Amino acid sequence: MPSAPSRKPLLYSAATALAAITLGIVSWQATSDRHEPASSPAASAPEAAGAPDPLAALARREPADKLAAGRADAPVVLIEYSDFKCGYCGKFARDTEPALMRKYVEDGTLRIEWRNFPIFGAESEAAAKAAWAAGRQDRFAQFHAAAYAEGSKEKGFGEERLTELARAAGVPDLDRFHRDMAGAEASAALREDQEEGYRIGVTSTPSFLVNGEPLAGAQPLGAFEAAIARAKTRAAQVSK
């Protein structure tokens, strides 16, 4: 998929600048060559230097987060920056995420936190706000599945289509759904996610952090399994 360059390079420290460069390189690699796993030894540089990892610290771990799945105290947190109009995001949602849910989320190892990162224009932003609004009524996961179903993005994300997706997701109060989608709180939540992504150098979707380790693109399941295993081992060592 084409990448969207960051327009808000908000770098607050040397460690965060290194993290942004690292994730930017990983995102570029994933966009340039989808056939090779995208990872970088530089991802562990803050940790190797003994400094706190600014990317790992982005995990919110909020129990009431409507755009998250898994225990707030899970040893591994996967943060996903995605766009509903991104074909590779849909591939991850259909082919890989369900396996991660079954294997790691259900046993308490993994938490997945979604970040809305629309880069493909107005319909991307509208879909992001709609997903957030569905989440207010505990239907984010169902909306996510409907929006990423095979062939869904080809139908677009106009107002009528978003209402159709909300119905498919079982959103109980459609009037509230439309109010929430158009409200200031939805815009603020979207802006928070976007600014976080820009700040750390996200340049394409999907992009991921696994306890701070960057992983970009619709990588095969094995790449996520390996990253989760590394993160779980490091978390166990820290907790000793």
Side-chain angles (χ1 to χ4, degrees):
M1 296 296 295
S3 61
S6 168
R7 295 184 177 86
K8 301 180 181 179
L10 308 177
L11 308 181
Y12 297 133
S13 66
T16 305
L18 175 59
I21 292 168
T22 296
L23 191 55
I25 290 171
V26 171
S27 295
W28 178 84
Q29 288 174 335
T31 303
S32 299
D33 188 349
R34 293 287 175 178
H35 300 292
E36 295 295 330
S39 60
S40 169
S44 59
E47 183 181 0
D53 186 340
L55 294 180
L58 293 173
R60 295 171 186 171
R61 295 185 178 275
E62 297 171 359
D65 188 346
K66 302 290 189 178
L67 276 62
R71 292 170 45 172
D73 63 349
V76 182
V77 178
L78 183 152
I79 302 174
E80 175 185 353
Y81 299 87
S82 277
D83 184 321
F84 284 104
K85 290 195 73 174
C86 163
Y88 287 107
C89 299
K91 180 176 175 58
F92 171 79
R94 293 188 300 272
D95 298 348
T96 306
E97 193 169 39
L100 297 179
M101 293 286 290
R102 290 190 299 270
K103 186 171 182 178
Y104 299 108
V105 174
E106 290 180 6
D107 76 356
T109 297
L110 180 68
R111 175 177 174 84
I112 299 176
E113 295 185 357
W114 172 276
R115 302 288 190 268
N116 276 308
F117 197 73
I119 59 176
F120 294 114
E123 284 200 354
S124 289
E125 293 202 1
K129 291 178 181 179
W132 182 90
R136 296 305 89 188
Q137 299 186 55
D138 298 314
R139 290 296 186 275
F140 171 76
Q142 293 84 352
F143 186 95
H144 174 281
Y148 277 137
E150 189 73 52
S152 182
K153 80 180 183 70
E154 285 74 17
K155 298 178 181 179
F157 293 109
E159 185 174 350
E160 290 186 7
R161 174 64 177 152
L162 293 174
T163 300
E164 180 183 328
L165 289 170
R167 288 197 184 97
V171 174
D173 187 339
L174 290 177
D175 288 338
R176 178 189 171 188
F177 168 78
H178 287 290
R179 289 195 305 271
D180 287 344
M181 186 170 57
E185 194 175 354
S187 295
L190 175 58
R191 186 166 58 249
E192 179 182 6
D193 286 356
Q194 287 177 305
E195 290 183 350
E196 178 181 293
Y198 286 127
R199 186 168 68 245
I200 64 172
V202 174
T203 59
S204 66
T205 56
S207 287
F208 306 89
L209 297 173
V210 183
N211 275 18
E213 177 183 339
L215 189 65
Q219 299 289 317
L221 177 60
F224 288 93
E225 291 177 328
I228 291 167
R230 290 191 295 270
K232 184 178 180 181
T233 298
R234 289 195 298 266
Q237 291 170 345
V238 169
S239 66
K240 288 182 179 179

